[in-house]
Amino acid sequence: MTKTAERRPVAHPPVRPLPAPAPAGRRRRRLADQARAHGFLLGGLLCFALFSWYPAIRAVVISFQRYTPGSPPEWAGTANFTRVLDDPEFADAWRNTLTFTLLALLIGFAVPFVLALVLNELRHARSFFRVVVYLPVMIPPVVSALLWKWFYDPGAGLANEALRLLHLPTSHWTNGTDTALVSLVLVATWANMGGTVLIYLAALQSIPGELYEAAELDGASLLQRVRHVTIPQTRFAILMLMLLQVIATMQVFTEPFVITGGGPENSTVTVLYLIYKYAFLYNDFGGACALSVMLLVLLGAFSALYLRLTRTEGDT
Amino acid sequence: MTPDTRTLISPAALARPRGKALYWTVFTAVVVLFALAFLFPVYWMVTGALKSPDEVARTPPTLLPEHWRPGGYTDAWELMELPRHLGNTLVQAAGAWAFQLVFCTAAAYSLAKLRPAFGKVVLGGVLATLMVPAQALVVPKYLTVADLPLIHTSLLNDPLAVWLPAVANAFNLYLLKRFFDQLPRDVLEAAEIDGAGKLRVLWSVVLPMSRPVLGVVSIFALVAVWQDFLWPLMVFSDTGEQPVSVALVQLSQNVQLTVLIAAMVIASIPMVALFLVFQRHIIAGIGAGSTKG
């Protein structure tokens, strides 16, 4: 009551006196507000329902069905899962995917970290470095894949040419069963390193300089400073990027599809590639969805970990 | 030069003669490394397309084309029907951008300021999709697009197959919602007292105040569609509708290497140009998005 008493003399523009609404009118207006709020929400909501929520549920449903487009689906129990599990490519695909992820963590993680560490010390041409390191990220992934396919070419490829120039033995690159996967990891690392480096740089810049000063006064050497100041201070960024990278690399598709076609001898078939094959080569959507569900469960667990970490760190 | 902030190595150590020498050695090494690792491949691609087909296949390779032949580029433009495929990509990216801006902005505005019933549930559902890796869901999503529930239409080979799923982008929606949350309620209420409807408030008050976040979302939306490969590979089986990324791979077997390389360069130009123009914003966005911890 006091509020209205205070307001009365000043407010109320003469143009639009607020009518004292009857209870029924207020309810109607609240309904109208709700209708309007949901009207704004409608388009986005519909798209999420159709292209995110529904497919997620559908993946699970179809994984228990015999499903070919055009004919009505039949329940198949766990037949899709057993069939997929019995496929010799299944083990290959998972092993390759996990190896890829592991190698990407080793190569694609250590290299950008060291690079960011060095770049952060440089006092000149910073924006130049930042632009150049991010350039490959902006090149379409298909183009980077084709570009590296050309580099790896056993004949006129630049990769072997460079080795020859350094008097090193040449490699089979993507043509050897033992080297193909590593070669693909190199492509992915080259193409995506820019983002990682920039995030690290930002994290490094947020470290208070006094910490380094104090450590130096205590007689800490360069490496000790990295170990006891830099790494603990960027712990959060490191962990976050690691999880994101696991989630991203577990879904690798473009490089094996474009560069090696899964070969030689299935040495670069990944899980997502196998999903693609089940759906579009074998026309077996039940099997493809069974594989998708497996990938989904594994990566969902990783994502949950990621969200949990961001939330707890965000609160502090 | 940036103002001296203390990093791993102290400014004093750098000022000493030995430190200076070491600094410039490392600096040169990094410049050479960056040039070799990141600029040289791009140079190799641009000049490779200018060489003759025999010269590209020759070992040892030539650093400069013997004869500069722009023919590779003109051939790629015509033989690979690049105008058509670039046009398709442009239509797909522009549409995805427009749909995302309209629907995500409206939804974010509603969630942030209009208090819809079940708003929390909707937001939770949107955020939950962040946990589901997009690529793992492409097959059921493809089946949905191929036969939309209830209306039973197929969106295959239709740009709508890219436009509509692009709206279901939880990250961009959340980004917008977070930004709208921060807008002061007084300003919006003042506009309403002046007689503006909700749509008017969104259009004339909220959007003009949201330029930075709209810019970020726009860049994300454009880049995502331009760089995508698996989804357009699935939904555009009709060659005439394929974006440039899919067409490049489909045609890569049947054209001369120089022509393919020229096409690769042309396909990269729009995104690289976008980056060079907006690099300051893009780089700042990447850094800012990550260091809240």
Side-chain angles (χ1 to χ4, degrees), chain A residues 40-104:
Chain A
F40 276 101
L41 209 50
L42 190 68
L45 206 61
L46 217 59
C47 287
F48 268 93
L50 266 179
F51 304 112
S52 281
W53 302 330
Y54 179 54
I57 298 164
R58 218 161 161 216
V60 179
V61 172
I62 293 177
S63 70
F64 295 104
Q65 286 177 334
R66 201 181 315 280
Y67 193 102
T68 31
S71 49
E74 297 163 41
W75 289 103
T78 53
N80 291 323
F81 288 90
T82 48
R83 186 173 62 257
V84 166
L85 281 166
D86 282 342
D87 185 345
E89 270 189 279
F90 178 84
D92 283 339
W94 277 101
R95 197 179 41 245
N96 292 337
T97 305
L98 292 172
T99 318
F100 187 97
T101 302
L102 200 71
L103 283 172

Side-chain angles (χ1 to χ4, degrees), chain A residues 34 37 121 123-124 190 225, chain B residues 6-8 23 37 110 117 135:
Chain A
Q34 278 301 317
E121 295 308 315
R123 299 285 178 276
H124 305 83
W190 182 81
R225 267 174 275 155
Chain B
R6 169 67 214 251
T7 53
L8 191 51
Y23 173 81
S110 171
Q135 307 275 60

Side-chain angles (χ1 to χ4, degrees), chain A residues 121-135:
Chain A
E121 295 308 315
L122 298 181
R123 299 285 178 276
H124 305 83
R126 283 183 175 201
S127 51
F128 165 79
F129 289 126
R130 273 193 292 235
V131 169
V132 169
V133 82
Y134 202 69
L135 192 64

Side-chain angles (χ1 to χ4, degrees), chain A residues 259-290:
Chain A
I259 301 179
T260 58
E265 290 173 36
N266 284 345
S267 61
T268 54
V269 170
T270 60
V271 174
L272 197 60
Y273 197 167
L274 195 59
I275 292 176
Y276 178 84
K277 272 172 117 175
Y278 265 86
F280 293 95
L281 291 181
Y282 314 154
N283 216 15
D284 175 358
F285 285 89
C289 283

Side-chain angles (χ1 to χ4, degrees), chain B residues 113-254:
Chain B
K113 295 292 181 205
L114 303 186
R115 306 168 195 237
F118 307 112
K120 285 230 161 95
V121 181
V122 171
L123 186 65
V126 166
L127 291 181
T129 64
L130 282 175
M131 309 240 304
V132 181
Q135 307 275 60
L137 275 186
V138 282
V139 169
K141 200 162 93 177
Y142 166 84
L143 291 172
T144 307
V145 167
D147 182 20
L148 283 177
L150 304 178
I151 45 177
H152 294 292
T153 337
S154 163
L155 294 181
L156 296 184
N157 291 314
D158 189 316
L160 279 170
V162 169
W163 296 350
L164 293 178
V167 176
N169 183 327
F171 185 73
N172 282 353
L173 180 60
Y174 187 58
L175 217 60
L176 287 163
K177 194 229 164 220
R178 282 278 294 264
F179 194 90
F180 293 165
D181 276 339
Q182 293 168 3
L183 295 178
R185 201 164 274 279
D186 316 3
V187 179
L188 307 195
E189 272 165 10
E192 269 176 52
I193 287 169
D194 287 346
K198 301 286 181 198
L199 187 64
R200 185 68 203 268
V201 171
L202 174 62
W203 182 255
S204 332
V205 181
V206 174
L207 290 187
M209 289 169 90
S210 311
R211 287 228 183 94
V213 74
L214 292 176
V216 170
V217 168
S218 299
I219 289 172
F220 284 166
L222 283 176
V223 172
V225 175
W226 206 281
Q227 312 281 50
D228 202 4
F229 174 64
L230 177 58
W231 183 246
L233 175 73
M234 285 178 159
V235 294
F236 297 112
S237 51
D238 179 352
T239 330
E241 298 293 331
Q242 282 170 352
V244 72
S245 62
V246 177
L248 272 182
V249 174
Q250 305 281 31
L251 299 172
S252 65
Q253 305 293 331
N254 310 323

Side-chain angles (χ1 to χ4, degrees), chain B residues 50-130:
Chain B
L50 292 164
K51 294 173 182 171
S52 70
D54 332 319
E55 198 187 344
V56 157
R58 197 183 302 163
T59 49
T62 46
L63 206 55
L64 275 174
E66 276 172 347
H67 307 284
W68 299 72
R69 301 172 49 255
Y73 285 100
T74 48
D75 282 356
W77 192 254
E78 282 155 24
L79 288 177
M80 297 183 77
E81 293 190 86
L82 285 185
R84 163 175 240 160
H85 296 301
L86 283 169
N88 289 341
T89 312
L90 192 68
V91 167
Q92 287 162 23
W97 168 75
F99 270 72
Q100 245 179 77
L101 273 200
V102 172
F103 288 124
C104 286
T105 314
Y109 172 59
S110 171
L111 287 174
K113 295 292 181 205
L114 303 186
R115 306 168 195 237
F118 307 112
K120 285 230 161 95
V121 181
V122 171
L123 186 65
V126 166
L127 291 181
T129 64
L130 282 175

